[in-house]
Amino acid sequence: MSREPSVIPAFERIQVGQSLPELRKTVTVEQIRAYAEASGDRNPIHLDEVFARSVGLPGVIAHGMLTMAFGAQLVTDWLGDRRRMAGFHGRFSGMVLPGDELRCTGTVVAKDADARRLTVEVRVENQKGEKVFNKGVAEVDFATEKEN
Amino acid sequence: MTDHRFVGRRYESAPFEVTEASIRDFMQAIGDLAEDGELVAPPTYAMVYGSGPIWQLWSDQEVALDVAHLVHAEQSFRFHRPVQPGDRITAEGRITAINERAGMEFVTFELAASDPAGRPVSAATTLFIIRKP
């Protein structure tokens, strides 16, 4: 996926209260399987429908970390640079099931002009408007050019 | 109920070799295909190179976590530097808290990832809840 350089935000022009372009994702069984393979998290609650039901779940559920990855992508897509992500945390407040249509939204809630850092609030909701990832906070660092 | 005496127990993985294929598989899985020149892993790839100690915890027969009823409740990351193909990362995990509230169990697990020189790559804190069977 290529990005237009013009959409990458300049730190000076970012304002507190500004919203990030929203990101939408539809979760599928195939995606949950691909995530299990790529991440190494093969807990059967994500892969085995019968097992998931046997432990009281409505069926296989998505990994919380898949939802959190969407929340991170919301921020890094906006930044146009994954290196600026300095911290990220949040709560998994609801189950995500195959077929769920997720909407990731974010707002700049703090800006430290001297330290060149931003705090971005991140939320992920399902098609019913239920929050599945809540109290998300991404810390963004514009100060350092992080080199390996 | 998990025994409180396991607080402080540590797990260390063999060094994780970050490959281009592993990063690309992860990007495909999450549907984040953005790339600007150099390939940099998405932030939550930290759970991939940190998965070794987590699996050790989950399969530790002495601690005997009820993994089938385990829910990932909260997650926190600090990223010290970008992760790219060729990186070699060692992750150390530690159980830092085991609590019980309202009949549910809360287990906190901390991961510290570092490079071969011992410099930090990222730190992560995970809160697991064990649901009532």
Side-chain angles (χ1 to χ4, degrees):
Chain A
M1 201 190 310
S2 63
R3 292 193 203 87
E4 294 295 327
S6 59
V7 303
I8 296 174
F11 182 77
E12 287 68 22
R13 296 180 64 180
I14 296 169
Q15 294 184 342
V16 171
Q18 168 176 350
S19 296
L20 276 59
E22 113 182 8
L23 176 71
R24 285 176 183 264
K25 296 275 188 176
T26 301
V27 178
T28 62
V29 167
E30 291 72 28
Q31 182 168 37
I32 296 170
R33 288 204 183 118
Y35 187 83
E37 285 306 309
S39 69
D41 181 347
R42 297 186 186 84
N43 188 321
I45 61 170
H46 306 303
L47 299 168
D48 183 337
E49 191 74 17
V50 173
F51 179 84
R53 289 179 192 277
S54 77
V55 295
L57 297 171
V60 293
I61 61 169
H63 303 72
M65 284 311 304
L66 178 59
T67 303
M68 193 166 184
F70 299 155
Q73 186 188 347
L74 169 82
V75 179
T76 56
D77 272 358
W78 175 63
L79 294 170
D81 188 350
R82 296 191 178 115
R83 298 159 194 261
R84 296 209 188 283
M85 196 84 152
F88 191 30
H89 64 94
R91 291 183 187 170
F92 305 102
S93 46
M95 284 187 281
V96 174
L97 306 173
D100 277 355
E101 291 164 25
L102 303 182
R103 185 171 155 257
C104 312
T105 55
T107 310
V108 179
V109 292
K111 178 177 179 177
D112 183 333
D114 294 331
R116 295 180 65 81
R117 288 178 79 95
L118 301 174
T119 308
V120 178
E121 221 172 71
V122 174
R123 294 164 301 274
V124 183
E125 291 177 359
N126 65 16
Q127 65 282 3
K128 298 175 200 154
E130 298 159 342
K131 285 177 183 151
V132 293
F133 181 74
N134 198 12
K135 300 195 189 291
V137 177
E139 285 159 53
V140 177
D141 184 358
F142 275 80
T144 47
E145 287 306 319
K146 295 184 179 183
E147 298 295 337
N148 277 345
Chain B
M1 179 64 200
T2 309
D3 198 319
H4 289 92
R5 74 189 159 95
F6 295 120
V7 172
R9 181 168 280 217
R10 287 170 186 274
Y11 305 89
E12 189 173 317
S13 64
F16 183 95
E17 309 279 348
V18 178
T19 62
E20 181 178 337
S22 157
I23 294 177
R24 289 195 189 282
D25 283 351
F26 186 79
M27 288 167 56
Q28 283 286 342
I30 66 175
D32 175 1
L33 304 178
E35 222 176 302
D36 289 306
E38 285 188 325
L39 185 64
V40 173
T44 62
Y45 182 81
M47 290 307 259
V48 179
Y49 59 74
S51 63
I54 294 175
W55 269 109
Q56 289 176 45
L57 166 70
W58 287 10
S59 55
D60 186 330
Q61 300 290 316
E62 283 178 21
V63 176
L65 279 189
D66 180 4
V67 178
H69 293 96
L70 178 143
V71 173
H72 194 171
E74 238 175 281
Q75 182 63 42
S76 170
F77 293 107
R78 184 142 299 283
F79 307 108
H80 296 289
R81 67 158 178 84
V83 168
Q84 296 189 274
D87 282 342
R88 246 174 143 239
I89 301 175
T90 302
E92 191 194 80
R94 192 161 62 96
I95 302 173
T96 54
I98 299 174
N99 296 301
E100 202 181 341
R101 280 201 302 276
M104 287 195 298
E105 189 176 314
F106 297 74
V107 177
T108 308
F109 195 63
E110 290 188 12
L111 276 171
S114 53
D115 69 13
R119 288 177 301 224
V121 174
S122 68
T125 304
T126 303
L127 176 67
F128 294 119
I129 296 181
I130 317 289
R131 298 180 294 127
K132 272 184 187 173

